[in-house]
């Protein structure tokens, strides 16, 4: 029996009685729930199987989740080359643990499902990596380590990750408020955001800083581009970490 299938809300009667070998489930999360398109998107394991409907932050952030249902409906625009753009989102709160990353992960699942089902419907092959989750802190650690140890292979990996982040249709940039990062790492993040805004690609940012601060983290011009076609959602409340 299948539990927690990402397609549960999309199948009449749900996926509870489906076989574990369902081709659609495997296409999304692989045979072992670690692969498929969600695995290729590098969603961290603790956030992997969340949708808007099953997100633990849904109740506390009810107003935001109401808006997000409308936002997810715009994911159909990915199949309409000349249509309106899918907006970017900036999810932020001063305090940690309010459900920003959880929400970003649920939206990346929704995007991948929309891409997969929309492709099937149109008789097209779904991309293997329609979306990517970029943990900006992890990229920074990898980058610092590689520069410190003159590790060419490590640096090449960082560059490859950066290229993927520039090109992918839908990107989550988790923890983009890197106030204390080195100038050279900031320039990497700057380049990713710049490439995506230039090409009109949607990005979902999470941050502990108000969006206005992006002008001091990066520069006024980039901050201006980030704000263009971007909805800002402020997460309220105290940290829920460890309360589940
Ligand atoms: N409103 C909520 N109700 C219950 N649990 C929640 C809620 N919001 C978040 N959580 C849980 O709290 C933990 C932290 O959530 P999450 O990582 O999404 O927070 P965050 O806002 O990204 O924090 P940070 O600012 O530190 O990155 C997770 O285990 C998540 O499931
Ligand atoms: Mg987070």
């Amino acid at each position: 029996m299948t539990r927690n299938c990402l397609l549960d809300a999309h199948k009449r009667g749900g996926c509870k009685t489906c076989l574990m070998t369902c081709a659609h489930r495997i296409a999304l999360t692989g045979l072992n729930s670690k692969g498929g398109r969600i695995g290729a998107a590098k969603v961290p394991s603790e956030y992997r199987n969340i949708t808007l409907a099953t997100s633990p932050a849904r109740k506390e952030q009810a107003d935001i989740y109401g808006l997000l249902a409308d936002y997810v409906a715009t994911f159909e625009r990915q199949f309409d080359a000349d249509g309106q753009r899918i907006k970017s989102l900036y999810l932020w709160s001063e305090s940690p643990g309010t459900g920003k990353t959880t929400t970003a992960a649920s939206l990346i699942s929704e995007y991948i499902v929309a891409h997969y089902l929309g492709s099937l419907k149109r008789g097209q092959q779904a991309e293997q990596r329609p979306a990517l989750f970029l943990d900006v802190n992890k990229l920074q650690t990898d980058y610092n380590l590689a520069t410190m140890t003159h590790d060419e292979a490590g640096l090449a990996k960082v560059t490859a990750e950066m290229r993927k982040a520039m090109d992918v249709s839908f990107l989550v940039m988790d923890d983009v408020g890197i106030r204390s990062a080195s100038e050279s790492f900031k320039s990497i993040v700057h380049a990713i955001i710049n490439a995506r805004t230039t090409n009109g690609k949607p990005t979902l940012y999470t941050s502990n800083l108000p969006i206005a601060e992006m002008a001091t983290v990066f520069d006024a011009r980039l901050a201006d581009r980030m704000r263009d076609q971007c909805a800002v959602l402020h997460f309220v409340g105290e940290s829920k970490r460890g309360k589940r």
Side-chain angles (χ1 to χ4, degrees):
M1 278 231 301
T2 316
R3 282 156 294 138
N4 293 333
C5 183
L6 294 177
L7 296 171
D8 202 52
H10 298 271
K11 186 174 176 239
R12 197 169 299 136
C15 300
K16 300 268 183 311
T17 58
C18 299
L19 294 172
M20 289 300 274
T21 50
C22 168
H24 304 303
R25 194 185 77 89
I26 293 170
L28 288 171
T29 50
L31 259 177
N32 56 3
S33 299
K34 292 181 186 149
R37 287 163 175 85
I38 297 283
K42 303 215 179 128
V43 178
S45 55
E46 65 268 39
Y47 298 106
R48 208 171 275 156
N49 247 327
I50 308 171
T51 62
L52 269 194
T54 63
S55 168
R58 184 185 177 86
K59 227 167 104 196
E60 181 101 1
Q61 310 289 353
D63 291 350
I64 287 180
Y65 275 70
L67 296 171
L68 291 179
D70 295 340
Y71 177 62
V72 165
T74 69
F75 288 168
E76 275 295 306
R77 292 178 190 166
Q78 66 183 290
F79 297 104
D80 183 5
D82 307 318
Q84 269 182 293
R85 273 161 58 172
I86 298 170
K87 277 194 179 177
S88 292
L89 288 187
Y90 188 88
L91 313 179
W92 77 283
S93 62
E94 298 85 347
S95 42
T98 55
K100 301 179 296 296
T101 303
T102 305
T103 303
S106 74
L107 289 168
I108 209 171
S109 303
E110 298 287 353
Y111 187 90
I112 291 170
V113 167
H115 177 76
Y116 179 75
L117 293 180
S119 300
L120 274 189
K121 203 164 82 182
R122 290 164 178 84
Q124 298 167 3
Q125 174 77 41
E127 282 177 46
Q128 288 306 315
R129 188 187 288 113
L132 180 69
F133 186 104
L134 183 71
D135 180 339
V136 178
N137 276 317
K138 181 176 178 299
L139 191 71
Q140 184 177 7
T141 309
D142 292 349
Y143 174 76
N144 288 348
L145 199 67
T147 4
M148 221 156 52
T149 56
H150 303 287
D151 171 6
E152 290 295 329
L155 270 182
K157 267 193 193 161
V158 170
T159 312
E161 192 72 2
M162 175 184 170
R163 292 250 153 77
K164 278 186 215 150
M166 286 169 157
D167 291 341
V168 75
S169 305
F170 187 82
L171 179 71
V172 168
M173 291 188 96
D174 192 36
D175 261 322
V176 78
I178 42 166
R179 195 160 17 200
S180 56
S182 67
E183 286 307 312
S184 58
F185 181 70
K186 275 186 193 173
S187 72
I188 289 179
V189 180
H190 190 293
I192 296 171
I193 298 173
N194 193 45
R196 298 188 63 78
T197 51
T198 305
N199 293 310
K201 294 190 171 178
T203 309
L204 219 159
Y205 311 97
T206 80
S207 172
N208 288 109
L209 301 173
I211 196 165
E213 291 263 332
M214 293 300 108
T216 44
V217 172
F218 302 106
D219 56 62
R221 190 157 160 267
L222 192 78
D224 207 45
R225 288 185 159 202
M226 285 174 80
R227 290 172 110 141
D228 184 36
Q229 296 282 321
C230 180
V232 176
L233 298 177
H234 186 207
F235 279 58
V236 291
E238 314 240 294
S239 177
K240 301 290 179 307
R241 193 163 273 121
K243 295 219 171 124
R244 274 207 306 154

